[in-house]
């Protein structure tokens, strides 16, 4: 069949194999379980039954003797990674150690800043600036750790009672092994029949971590002797870099999910075009896409609602700190710093805050995934043909009904960003010493 070239190779084994390079990107997130779950086949009818909020009749029978073109239902099967028992247990132990290490490191960094600057009026700039940065680092490893622990002990019975549109179910599914395997199946396939990793984004994330570590080393160890603090500098350097690396890996994981979702949307357009007239098959395939789309969008939206306000507040407060320092010679004289040292400190803070602001935006391609949904709907509108006008009208109407987007959750994010700008501009005379309390 001519259209078979649009599909990846079918997997004969019930387990799914990926490259070691991709395993290295997923292990620190705690995705790989101690034991492999039994693979389960998922039909499109089962997918539609998992969405009780979609009040549409898609259970009617498909016309007899008509098989849909580009049938990729095998990619929706719940398969584990193709790991041996020994290798799986090794990866699980390594994943647990790395996840708890990142959680402890970022927790230490967060509470260290709270201990030094909280409750001191003259350090309010430092408190807001450092807290807005460390909160972006701590929420990812701690959130992943608590999520894995919580859903491990509550049991499958409770998870099965969750609504598939609830945020709790989305948080559980977001790091579930079967979900990750299903999303990886949609990644572009390279010559060795394995999905390609996001090398370009990973290089950008690695460079950002490297630059952050390099500037951190210069700030804490290459400044004049009177600016150096005690042994805490070593702990700050280590914990900050661990948190930055985990943050970059999580952004890379989000980028992998976004890339796989984009490829599935492209495939969905081809599927509807090749199966023009088969309304039920196309509607079933759309529902299967919407389920994973809601998981990715719900979790990333919740994440961005924390990232954006904290990043805006941190950047505004840092600009205020630059204003307090570089517009007053008395401030520099009182602190006993050279101008070059203050510039180095300012550059280091800008790089740290820029990393936690820019990497999430690059990973998502914006602040939300709504543009991908709009592009799919626009593409379907452009490829519709006049002889099947009824079919395309029903498909577009169905897509509009399933539109999972809303603007209510962004009201709080915008409000917090505006409040952050106001608070950042209202801080008064402050101490400019970042190093020692």
């Amino acid at each position: 069949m001519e259209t078979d070239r649009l599909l990846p190779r079918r997997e004969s084994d019930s387990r799914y194999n990926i490259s070691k390079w991709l395993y290295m990107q997923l292990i620190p997130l705690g995705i790989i379980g101690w034991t492999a779950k039994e693979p389960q086949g998922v039909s499109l009818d089962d997918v539609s039954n998992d969405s009780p909020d979609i009040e549409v009749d898609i259970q009617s029978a498909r016309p007899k003797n008509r098989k849909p073109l580009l049938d990729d239902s095998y990619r929706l099967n719940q398969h584990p990674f193709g790991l041996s028992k020994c290798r799986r247990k090794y990866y699980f132990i390594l994943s647990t150690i790395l996840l708890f290490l990142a959680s402890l490191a970022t927790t230490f960094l967060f509470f260290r800043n709270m201990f030094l600057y909280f409750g001191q009026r003259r350090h309010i700039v430092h408190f807001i600036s450092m807290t807005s940065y460390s909160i972006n680092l701590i929420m990812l490893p701690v959130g992943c750790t608590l999520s894995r622990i919580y859903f491990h002990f509550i049991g499958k019975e409770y998870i099965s009672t969750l609504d598939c549109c609830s945020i709790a179910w989305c948080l559980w599914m977001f790091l579930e092994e079967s979900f990750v395997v299903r999303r990886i199946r949609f990644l572009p396939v390279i010559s060795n029949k394995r999905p390609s990793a996001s090398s370009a984004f990973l290089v950008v994330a690695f460079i950002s971590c490297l630059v952050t570590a390099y500037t951190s080393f210069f700030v804490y160890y290459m400044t004049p002797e009177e600016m150096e603090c005690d042994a805490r500098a070593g702990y700050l350097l280590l914990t900050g870099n661990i948190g930055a690396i985990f943050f970059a890996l999580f952004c890379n994981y989000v980028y992998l999910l976004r890339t796989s979702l984009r490829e599935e949307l492209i495939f969905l357009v081809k599927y509807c075009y090749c199966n023009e007239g088969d309304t039920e098959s196309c509607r079933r395939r759309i529902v299967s896409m919407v389920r994973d789309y809601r998981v990715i969008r719900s979790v990333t939206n919740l994440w961005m609602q924390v990232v954006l306000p904290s990043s805006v507040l941190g950047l505004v407060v840092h600009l205020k700190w630059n204003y307090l320092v570089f517009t007053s010679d008395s401030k520099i004289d009182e602190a006993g710093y050279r101008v070059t040292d203050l510039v180095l400190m300012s550059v280091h803070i800008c790089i740290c805050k820029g990393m936690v602001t820019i990497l999430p935006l690059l990973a998502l391609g914006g602040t939300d995934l709504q543009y991908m949904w709009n592009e799919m709907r626009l593409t379907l509108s452009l490829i519709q043909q006049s002889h099947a006008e009824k079919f395309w009208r029903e498909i577009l109407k169905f897509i509009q009904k399933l539109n999972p987007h809303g603007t209510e959750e962004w009201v709080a994010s915008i409000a917090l960003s505006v409040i952050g700008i106001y608070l950042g501009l209202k801080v008064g005379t402050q101490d400019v010493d970042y190093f020692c309390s």
Side-chain angles (χ1 to χ4, degrees):
M1 186 184 297
E2 181 181 358
T3 54
D4 283 343
R5 293 176 299 159
L6 299 175
L7 288 173
R9 179 173 61 89
R10 290 176 180 265
E11 295 290 337
S12 58
D13 192 5
S14 61
R15 297 174 184 250
Y16 192 64
N17 297 312
I18 61 175
S19 62
K20 291 182 179 180
W21 179 243
L22 199 50
Y23 275 127
M24 292 174 61
Q25 301 175 38
L26 299 176
I27 285 176
L29 302 177
I31 293 173
I32 300 176
W34 177 259
T35 57
K37 296 181 180 179
E38 292 296 328
Q40 301 176 5
V42 180
S43 66
L44 294 183
D45 291 333
D46 295 335
V47 171
S48 60
N49 290 334
D50 287 339
S51 304
D53 63 319
I54 303 174
E55 298 178 358
V56 291
D57 181 18
I58 61 176
Q59 302 299 329
S60 59
R62 185 183 296 116
K64 294 183 179 180
N65 301 325
R66 182 173 182 180
K67 184 178 180 180
L69 301 176
L70 297 180
D71 183 15
D72 70 332
S73 57
Y74 67 94
R75 292 200 293 195
L76 304 178
N77 294 337
Q78 299 183 14
H79 287 169
F81 288 117
L83 296 171
S84 62
K85 292 183 178 180
C86 181
R87 192 177 177 188
R88 172 175 289 275
K89 287 178 171 54
Y90 169 73
Y91 280 171
F92 175 79
I93 294 173
L94 180 61
S95 174
T96 303
I97 293 174
L98 293 177
L99 191 57
F100 274 97
L101 178 63
S103 301
L104 291 175
T106 53
T107 302
F108 169 81
L109 182 65
F110 178 79
F111 283 102
R112 180 263 177 188
N113 294 326
M114 294 285 291
F115 176 76
L116 286 182
Y117 301 128
F118 183 75
Q120 302 183 44
R121 184 177 180 82
R122 68 188 182 95
H123 282 156
I124 188 172
V125 170
H126 307 331
F127 173 73
I128 296 176
S129 180
M130 301 301 291
T131 303
S132 63
Y133 171 69
S134 57
I135 198 173
N136 284 311
L137 300 185
I138 189 177
M139 68 175 176
L140 295 180
V142 173
C144 292
T145 302
L146 295 179
S147 174
R148 295 290 86 191
I149 294 176
Y150 176 73
F151 288 112
H152 176 76
F153 286 105
I154 63 173
K156 297 180 180 179
E157 293 76 11
Y158 173 76
I159 296 177
S160 62
T161 62
L162 293 175
D163 183 4
C164 67
C165 299
S166 64
I167 187 62
W169 187 83
C170 292
L171 289 172
W172 168 72
M173 183 63 70
F174 191 75
L175 295 175
E176 185 67 13
E177 184 175 339
S178 60
F179 171 79
V180 178
V181 172
R182 188 165 65 247
R183 297 318 314 163
I184 291 178
R185 285 179 181 271
F186 288 96
L187 291 176
V189 179
I190 55 180
S191 57
N192 61 356
K193 303 300 182 181
R194 291 182 177 179
S196 59
S198 53
S199 301
F201 183 87
L202 200 60
V203 168
V204 173
F206 175 76
I207 292 176
S208 65
C209 292
L210 191 63
V211 173
T212 302
Y214 188 73
T215 56
S216 300
F217 178 79
F218 267 84
V219 165
Y220 290 115
Y221 288 103
M222 303 301 291
T223 50
E225 184 177 355
E226 61 269 21
M227 293 178 61
E228 295 183 1
C229 295
D230 53 13
R232 291 178 303 180
Y235 294 110
L236 294 177
L237 182 63
L238 179 61
T239 56
N241 290 330
I242 291 176
I245 292 173
F246 189 92
F247 186 89
L249 288 175
F250 185 86
C251 291
N252 178 69
Y253 175 63
V254 172
Y255 182 80
L256 286 175
L257 297 181
R258 199 251 293 185
T259 303
S260 69
L261 185 61
R262 182 192 62 200
E263 295 296 326
E264 185 178 7
L265 292 177
I266 294 174
F267 172 81
L268 184 61
V269 172
K270 297 176 182 178
Y271 185 90
C272 292
Y273 181 81
C274 293
N275 293 279
E276 186 180 60
D278 194 349
T279 306
E280 302 307 325
S281 295
C282 294
R283 284 159 68 169
R284 288 189 181 96
R285 190 61 187 82
I286 292 171
V287 169
S288 68
M289 179 274 299
V290 170
R291 180 188 61 175
D292 286 1
Y293 180 85
R294 286 185 173 181
V295 171
I296 301 172
R297 178 186 176 270
S298 298
V299 177
T300 54
N301 268 9
L302 184 64
W303 177 42
M304 292 301 292
Q305 288 174 41
V306 179
V307 169
L308 289 181
S310 60
S311 299
V312 169
L313 178 60
L315 288 172
V316 173
V317 169
H318 180 59
L319 291 176
K320 182 67 175 182
W321 179 80
N322 280 268
Y323 173 80
L324 293 173
V325 172
F326 295 108
T327 59
S328 175
D329 294 335
S330 60
K331 285 286 184 182
I332 299 178
D333 295 337
E334 291 174 4
Y337 295 166
R338 297 182 305 181
V339 176
T340 54
D341 298 326
L342 292 173
V343 171
L344 178 61
M345 187 66 185
S346 179
V347 170
H348 168 64
I349 297 175
C350 284
I351 291 175
C352 292
K353 296 184 181 301
M355 184 193 71
V356 298
T357 305
I358 296 175
L359 282 185
L361 296 177
L362 291 178
L364 280 177
T367 58
D368 195 1
L369 295 176
Q370 184 171 1
Y371 70 94
M372 299 180 67
W373 183 275
N374 293 337
E375 289 176 359
M376 180 196 67
R377 187 173 57 182
L378 177 61
T379 305
L380 290 174
S381 300
L382 294 176
I383 66 174
Q384 60 179 316
Q385 304 180 51
S386 58
H387 67 270
E389 183 177 352
K390 181 180 179 181
F391 165 78
W392 290 107
R393 184 170 60 250
E394 291 180 358
I395 292 299
L396 292 174
K397 183 179 179 181
F398 184 68
I399 290 177
Q400 181 63 31
K401 188 172 184 178
L402 294 182
N403 187 1
H405 295 291
T407 58
E408 296 82 2
E409 62 269 20
W410 287 103
V411 174
S413 181
I414 296 174
L416 290 174
S417 299
V418 174
I419 294 173
I421 295 175
Y422 174 79
L423 292 176
L425 295 175
K426 293 297 289 184
V427 292
T429 303
Q430 300 294 321
D431 187 358
V432 300
D433 186 0
Y434 257 108
F435 292 92
C436 304
S437 59

